[in-house]
Amino acid sequence: MSAFIVFLSGIINLILGALVLYKKPRDKTARLFFLFTIGAALWIMPSVVWRLTYGYTWAKMGYTGGIVFALVGLLWTHALGSLKRPRYYGAFYIVSGILFVASLFDNMIIIRYVGPSHTRFFEKGPLYDVYSIYLLIIFFMVLFRLWQG
């Protein structure tokens, strides 16, 4: 049942993004929002398949989708305002690129499935903490950008 609900949320994200893009296809913010919803689906859908198969590849794809989701979310929220994009965003592009490529390789973010336990499903890879901190920083930056308006 929970896999179905997660799957449904991914589909709803895609529909919402498509509707916004359909309404304003030339609007930069609408295009970025559409990419944001695709990023959400890329983060959500592998989780659904992973819950059903417990396949390592699907878990890795979920982490890759999380990187896309976070970066596009930051770009979308910045496009909502009228400020120029700060130069330090370049650092986020670089870290995103490194984490994206690393997430495609085995044992970089997560190592292997250790089975359900009270603490975790996977052993952490060498870049897991970097990934987690990166997502946390972007999450707070997105919230700040939304608060700023």
Side-chain angles (χ1 to χ4, degrees):
M1 181 65 172
S2 67
F4 174 74
I5 292 170
V6 173
F7 174 76
L8 191 60
S9 72
I11 295 297
I12 290 170
N13 267 296
L14 288 174
I15 291 171
L16 178 62
L19 287 173
V20 168
L21 185 64
Y22 177 75
K23 283 283 243 186
K24 296 182 177 185
R26 301 206 189 284
D27 185 38
K28 179 182 176 181
T29 306
R31 288 192 311 261
L32 283 171
F33 181 74
F34 179 64
L35 291 175
F36 179 64
T37 60
I38 288 174
L42 288 174
W43 197 15
I44 293 169
M45 295 303 186
S47 298
V48 171
V49 178
W50 176 79
R51 285 175 176 260
L52 299 173
T53 65
Y54 292 104
Y56 176 76
T57 301
W58 291 106
K60 274 191 341 183
M61 287 175 58
Y63 284 90
T64 305
I67 295 163
V68 172
F69 177 65
L71 183 63
V72 176
L74 183 63
L75 296 174
W76 169 64
T77 55
H78 194 84
L80 292 173
S82 59
L83 300 173
K84 288 182 67 175
R85 203 174 295 151
R87 288 188 179 167
Y88 62 83
Y89 271 37
F92 288 105
Y93 301 146
I94 292 169
V95 172
S96 293
I98 291 169
L99 287 173
F100 183 85
V101 171
S103 70
L104 300 175
F105 291 98
D106 289 349
N107 303 328
M108 293 306 290
I109 295 178
I110 55 173
I111 294 180
R112 64 182 174 88
Y113 180 67
V114 293
S117 68
H118 295 291
T119 57
R120 63 181 190 265
F121 286 96
F122 290 94
E123 288 183 19
K124 297 188 318 186
L127 293 177
Y128 183 85
D129 291 332
V130 173
Y131 175 88
S132 299
I133 292 167
Y134 165 79
L135 284 184
L136 187 64
I137 289 170
I138 287 191
F139 173 74
F140 283 116
M141 287 184 69
V142 164
L143 286 177
F144 179 71
R145 291 292 307 143
L146 287 173
W147 178 71
Q148 259 186 331

